[in-house]
Structure formats: structure tokens, C-alpha cells
Amino acid sequence: MNIDLTPYSMLLVNFSGGKDSSNILIETVKEARRQNVLHRVVAILSDTGAEWNSTADFSRSFCQRLGVPLQIVYPRCTIPCLLYTSPSPRDRTRSR
């Protein structure tokens, strides 16, 4: 990774716990350590309601091992809400 991270006051990394976002977080942490800005990295997990039951626990453990705080966010409308609500909240927004 050849990106200057020093101009940024916070480095937010979208993290789902999957292999792709895990690799991105690992590489970001490596580069942040090299540039002495690890304290600016925060992993963000969006709990969409469609995750495996173990996702949050795995993500906490993974981030703790990397020395990165994890922030879990909760959208107003989850994926199950969109799929099983009729009309869906998305439909109500479109009709405005």
C-alpha cells in the first residue's frame, strides 16, 4: 500500500468480518503502523440484520487482536425489514 495516511484525522474501515474486508483492515493497520497513525484507525461493522450470529463476536475479537477499535452501527431499516415489510420503508421514501 502506497497511500499517505497522515493527512487524515480518522481512518474508517468498513468491516464485515469476511475475507475481503479482513484483508483491507489488515493492510490498513500495517500501513497505519508504518506511518505511526494506528490510533486513527476505526473499524465499522454495520449490523444489517442479515449477519451470522457469530459475526459481532468474531469482529470484536479480530479487531482487538489488531489493536483497532470496532464500532457497530445499526441502520434504521435492516435487510429483513426491507424484505418482509409490506410496503417496505424504502417504498414509503420513494413515494414522497
Side-chain angles (χ1 to χ4, degrees):
M1 187 184 281
N2 190 18
I3 299 170
D4 183 6
L5 302 176
T6 59
Y8 304 100
S9 59
M10 187 176 286
L11 301 161
L12 302 176
V13 180
N14 186 29
F15 183 69
S16 67
K19 65 183 185 313
D20 296 327
S21 65
S22 295
N23 188 50
I24 289 169
L25 184 57
I26 289 168
E27 292 303 315
T28 302
V29 165
K30 284 180 189 176
E31 192 61 23
R33 280 189 181 129
R34 190 180 73 72
Q35 296 182 32
N36 199 30
V37 294
L38 181 60
H39 61 283
R40 299 179 189 175
V41 178
V42 178
I44 306 292
L45 171 66
S46 179
D47 185 343
T48 64
E51 288 74 29
W52 295 99
N53 292 335
S54 59
T55 298
D57 289 337
F58 167 80
S59 299
R60 282 186 198 96
S61 174
F62 190 85
C63 290
Q64 186 175 19
R65 280 184 269 143
L66 291 175
V68 171
L70 173 68
Q71 181 68 47
I72 300 176
V73 297
Y74 301 90
R76 288 186 192 151
C77 187
T78 63
I79 290 174
C81 173
L82 287 173
L83 293 175
Y84 302 114
T85 304
S86 181
S88 80
R90 185 187 310 165
D91 294 336
R92 284 187 289 249
T93 319
R94 288 181 184 164
S95 64
R96 292 181 188 168

